[in-house]
Amino acid sequence: MVGRVALVGDAAGTVTKSSGEGIYFAAKSARMCAETIVEFSQKGDRIPTEADLKVYLKRWDRQYGMTYKVLDILQTVFYRSDATREAFVEMCADMDVQKLTFDSYLYKTVVPANPLTQLKITAKTIGSLLRGSALVP
Ligand SMILES: Cc1cc2nc3c(=O)[nH]c(=O)nc-3n(C[C@H](O)[C@H](O)[C@H](O)COP(=O)(O)OP(=O)(O)OC[C@H]3O[C@@H](n4cnc5c(N)ncnc54)[C@H](O)[C@@H]3O)c2cc1C
């Protein structure tokens, strides 16, 4: 956000870590920004202020903040070395991981698994990391 300029898409850094998905988020951020401008311009009677435009960013963070956080963590953990990337590939063979990933891609949100499945995925993830010696500094 510079003065009264509201950034969207790649210019606003909406492309996701880990998956590199940016087309949906570019379009969605543009739409959310435009809707905020329309809302605060009161049918064209007033020019939205910088504070008004920041509302779009707050809404963005509320809707997608957790998704960005999780993908950031995934990238930090798994994109560190060849060993961690191999562990990531091994983990992705798991059906529960595939379902979780598919749902999250489809709904553009972190879809929670039931606690037992989550525990299983966590154990398998740690197993993959240990097998690939991915945790060795
Ligand atoms: C190799 C690669 C593969 C990708 N694969 C995927 C994928 O499979 N799925 C996915 O969802 N995302 C993918 N992405 C990310 C996705 O392409 C971007 O996140 C998305 O295109 C961002 O859209 P945007 O409109 O914000 O920016 P852009 O698509 O970059 O559009 C910006 C436009 O503005 C123009 N421009 C720049 N400066 C000026 C100026 N001063 N005046 C006028 N025009 C200007 C540029 O020429 C450009 O056409 C990929 C990106 C790369 C690089």
Side-chain angles (χ1 to χ4, degrees), residues 38-76:
V38 168
E39 182 184 332
F40 282 95
S41 69
Q42 293 166 356
K43 296 184 177 156
D45 284 345
R46 84 183 261 282
I47 298 172
T49 63
E50 186 181 347
D52 295 334
L53 293 177
K54 279 185 178 159
V55 171
Y56 136 67
L57 293 178
K58 284 204 187 90
R59 289 172 178 167
W60 183 263
D61 287 343
R62 203 178 315 129
Q63 187 157 344
Y64 296 112
M66 184 55 76
T67 301
Y68 282 94
K69 189 85 224 150
V70 169
L71 290 171
D72 188 18
I73 291 169
L74 281 180
Q75 180 160 317
T76 305

Side-chain angles (χ1 to χ4, degrees), residues 6-14 22-38 53 56-57 59-60 64 68:
L7 300 176
V8 299
D10 275 10
T14 59
I23 297 170
Y24 173 86
F25 294 104
K28 182 72 184 186
S29 61
R31 182 182 188 132
M32 203 182 262
C33 181
E35 283 171 352
T36 307
I37 290 170
V38 168
L53 293 177
Y56 136 67
L57 293 178
R59 289 172 178 167
W60 183 263
Y64 296 112
Y68 282 94

